[in-house]
Amino acid sequence: MTDTIDREGRCLCGAVKFQVQGDVMFNGFCHCKACTRARGVSPVHIIAVPTAGLTITAGEDKLKVADIGKMTHAFCQECGCLIYQCPKAGATFRAVFPTTFQIDAPDGKACTLPAELLPKCHFNYENRQWDVIGDGLPKYKDFPGAGGMLADDGTPLAAVSLLWGIGDISMPTT
């Protein structure tokens, strides 16, 4: 079953607002250099939707789109908040940041993500700045389906299975 999303978001100052709707292509922590440098932190939690799934609902005139390296970054010209990013060449998705979603907490302060928005995996894990130990999320060398899975310490799981003499690393069923 494919996860879907229907969320509103905005930049820090509120000049740019957007709607994200549709199928979630991936939801996780990205460790690539482009995400890390653009956000100033690693890893970066991103949720990707098909290009048509992101609509700027206000402040399109305040949106600055910059092509930097292999990536396109769109941000608010007023406050500098990153709204989305995607690869320049042949992008079929827009990666948005759950930190910019409108999260209404009962206390008016907390911005804890609801369970359906929590990250599901790590990708580009080979580029991590440190090992992420024990979070229980799968870790992919590249993207799910595009590269091998890695252990928390970055060791390829196929190598781990050979080292331990394990033929199948699939999760045990109860």
Side-chain angles (χ1 to χ4, degrees), residues 4 7 16 22 26 28 39 47 50-51 58 72 95 120 128 135 144 157:
T4 60
R7 289 280 171 174
V16 178
F26 52 88
R39 299 296 288 188
I47 296 177
T51 300
T72 295
K120 310 281 191 253
R128 71 198 178 285
D135 68 0
L157 285 180

Side-chain angles (χ1 to χ4, degrees), residues 7 11 36 39 43-44 48 53 58 77 85 94 101 119 126 155 161 165-166 174:
R7 289 280 171 174
C11 66
T36 298
R39 299 296 288 188
V44 176
Q77 293 182 70
Q85 66 186 36
R94 298 290 181 261
F101 292 167
E126 69 179 350
T155 307
S161 68
I166 301 169
T174 54

Side-chain angles (χ1 to χ4, degrees), residues 16-160:
V16 178
K17 296 180 181 177
F18 62 91
Q19 179 81 29
V20 180
Q21 294 178 307
D23 292 339
V24 173
M25 297 173 72
F26 52 88
N27 171 5
F29 290 120
C30 185
H31 295 265
C32 78
K33 288 181 182 179
C35 284
T36 298
R37 289 182 178 156
R39 299 296 288 188
V41 66
S42 180
V44 176
H45 182 194
I46 60 176
I47 296 177
V49 296
T51 300
L54 174 66
T55 305
I56 304 301
T57 57
E60 193 160 4
D61 60 321
K62 301 288 185 188
L63 197 65
K64 170 71 175 171
V65 178
D67 289 333
I68 303 168
K70 296 179 180 180
M71 300 291 290
T72 295
H73 302 273
F75 55 92
C76 173
Q77 293 182 70
E78 298 295 319
C79 65
C81 182
L82 195 55
I83 303 298
Y84 73 84
Q85 66 186 36
C86 61
K88 267 196 301 195
T92 59
F93 68 88
R94 298 290 181 261
V96 294
F97 311 93
T99 53
T100 60
F101 292 167
Q102 185 65 42
I103 306 291
D104 295 318
D107 65 4
K109 297 177 187 175
C111 55
T112 302
L113 291 174
E116 69 270 13
L117 296 178
L118 293 176
K120 310 281 191 253
C121 65
H122 291 263
F123 38 89
N124 296 307
Y125 193 69
E126 69 179 350
N127 295 316
R128 71 198 178 285
Q129 292 185 328
W130 58 82
D131 294 341
V132 179
I133 307 294
D135 68 0
L137 297 176
K139 293 162 179 77
Y140 297 93
K141 179 180 176 185
D142 299 309
F143 283 92
M149 292 187 67
L150 302 175
D152 287 351
D153 69 356
T155 307
L157 285 180
V160 170

Side-chain angles (χ1 to χ4, degrees), residues 156-169:
L157 285 180
V160 170
S161 68
L162 292 174
L163 192 71
W164 293 340
I166 301 169
D168 180 13
I169 306 192

